[in-house]
Amino acid sequence: MKSLLIEKALTADVREVAVPQPGEGQVRLRVQYVGICGSDLHYFYEGANGAFVVRESLVPGHELSGRVDLDPSGVLAEGTPVTVHPARFGTPREGIENAPHLWPGGSYLGSASTWPHTQGAASEYLVVEAGMVRVLPDALPVRRAVLAEPLAVALHALGKAGDVEGLDVLVTGSGPIGLMAVAAAVAAGARVTATDVLAGPLERAEAVGAAATIDVTTEAVEPNAYAVVLECSGVPVSISTALKAVRPGGTVVQVGMLPDDPRPVNLAPFISKEVRYLGAFRFHDEIDQAIALLAANPGIESAVTHEFALTDADQAFATARDSQRSGKVVFAL
């Protein structure tokens, strides 16, 4: 089978490798779509995602959809359309028993955080544990289902904020995760405003339901105006904007990943307005909610803007890095 392997920074090759064989409790999938995430871009362009350095050939990709190829148990028929929860949870810890995504010792598809690395989905076939597989409803096409993982991330973050129905919600950063945050908040009944520094992402935010957009290079974000802010840019200066924009007693949820080093942030509004500032990391079981939302809202698929073959990986990564012209970029296998 064909598999995309990142060797080091700026080096990715498609190779012929052996088709994996499922063991007990596992299922083999024929992968059809794989989304490119920010972590995949870091692995390709920098040879590392934060502290997680590529030390062996790494197959990227944790956003995927496809069909069952072989289930030795016979539970899932060949051809069944599916997506996958990409996490294998670690060891339970006291105080976070109900948050397995925070347990130490877990792994995530397409990650160099483990040794050996946890290989990802950018291959023609993938073997996963049966419990990671999610069967798609009839109303959800396989292509749209590739958005289930990033939408689950957004839904998990939104859940941290609580009920947002009828509230004004600001989403800072309209990249792929920001688009999913907009879609999630709109579906929950919020009035959503989205920000970005580029016109392309703002147009895509409107397409998935944002009631208003703000180009922060030319417009100011109104202070004290939003009950909830979902900070999706991962840019430290946006934290200061979020804390200024949220109303007194409001909630800011940090969704975008930040650099692992000190950066200046204005925390005065955090204190004087008694703001709740929460982190959101991956998700627990929100992928099931994401599947239902994708089935009910076909328009979310507009976030997918480009498809590439595995053999065009360099071009695919370059396109995904260009947020002016691309939303979610996917490999189509």
Side-chain angles (χ1 to χ4, degrees):
M1 70 172 183
K2 290 182 173 60
S3 187
L4 176 66
L5 296 121
I6 295 174
E7 307 294 343
K8 58 183 180 179
L10 299 174
T11 304
D13 299 309
V14 175
R15 294 187 199 161
E16 285 287 340
V17 299
V19 175
Q21 299 302 315
E24 184 177 355
Q26 295 183 320
V27 177
R28 186 170 68 205
L29 309 179
R30 176 62 174 91
V31 179
Q32 290 183 257
Y33 294 97
V34 179
I36 295 177
C37 177
S39 61
D40 303 318
L41 293 178
H42 285 299
Y43 284 130
F44 178 70
Y45 282 104
E46 302 156 25
N49 181 33
F52 306 136
V53 179
V54 174
R55 293 180 286 160
E56 64 173 346
S57 300
L58 175 68
V59 179
H62 53 259
E63 307 169 3
L64 72 139
S65 58
R67 296 182 183 273
V68 172
D69 181 66
L70 175 62
D71 179 2
S73 73
V75 172
L76 297 174
E78 181 180 354
T80 300
V82 297
T83 186
V84 169
H85 191 312
R88 296 177 177 96
F89 297 130
T91 304
R93 284 287 176 88
E94 184 178 357
I96 53 172
E97 295 88 348
N98 297 321
H101 60 294
L102 299 180
W103 295 348
S107 64
Y108 217 69
L109 293 179
S111 174
S113 64
T114 59
W115 181 259
H117 297 340
T118 303
Q119 302 301 334
S123 297
E124 290 182 299
Y125 295 92
L126 176 70
V127 168
V128 296
E129 281 66 41
M132 298 167 69
V133 177
R134 300 293 190 274
V135 175
L136 305 183
D138 291 342
L140 181 54
V142 172
R143 183 179 188 270
R144 194 186 314 153
V146 75
L147 295 170
E149 193 275 348
L151 182 56
V153 170
L155 288 166
H156 178 71
L158 189 66
K160 291 286 185 183
D163 185 8
V164 297
E165 184 173 6
L167 299 181
D168 289 305
V169 171
L170 180 69
V171 175
T172 55
S174 297
I177 288 294
L179 296 179
M180 295 299 99
V182 170
V186 169
R191 295 182 296 273
V192 180
T193 298
T195 75
D196 206 274
V197 297
L198 298 168
L202 294 176
E203 291 171 3
R204 289 185 282 275
E206 289 182 337
V208 296
T213 60
I214 299 172
D215 181 340
V216 293
T217 65
T218 59
E219 305 171 70
V221 178
E222 184 179 355
N224 306 317
Y226 300 93
V228 172
V229 181
L230 302 175
E231 204 302 289
C232 298
S233 72
V235 178
V237 69
S238 288
I239 299 174
S240 298
T241 299
L243 292 172
K244 181 179 179 181
V246 71
R247 73 187 186 190
T251 300
V252 175
V253 183
Q254 185 63 46
V255 192
M257 294 296 289
L258 292 154
D260 187 17
D261 55 29
R263 298 293 175 94
V265 173
N266 180 10
L267 291 178
F270 169 70
I271 300 164
S272 62
K273 294 192 288 188
E274 295 192 359
V275 173
R276 289 198 314 154
Y277 181 46
L278 305 172
F281 182 66
R282 296 177 179 166
F283 56 92
H284 176 199
D285 56 8
E286 288 87 353
I287 197 164
D288 301 309
Q289 184 183 354
I291 289 168
L293 183 54
L294 286 166
N297 292 269
I300 300 176
E301 192 172 350
S302 67
V304 178
T305 58
H306 295 79
E307 294 182 18
F308 291 92
L310 287 182
T311 50
D312 295 324
D314 287 10
Q315 186 180 356
F317 288 132
T319 302
R321 203 183 195 188
D322 184 352
S323 55
Q324 167 60 20
R325 67 188 184 102
S326 73
K328 176 58 66 178
V329 178
V330 303
F331 290 113
L333 284 73

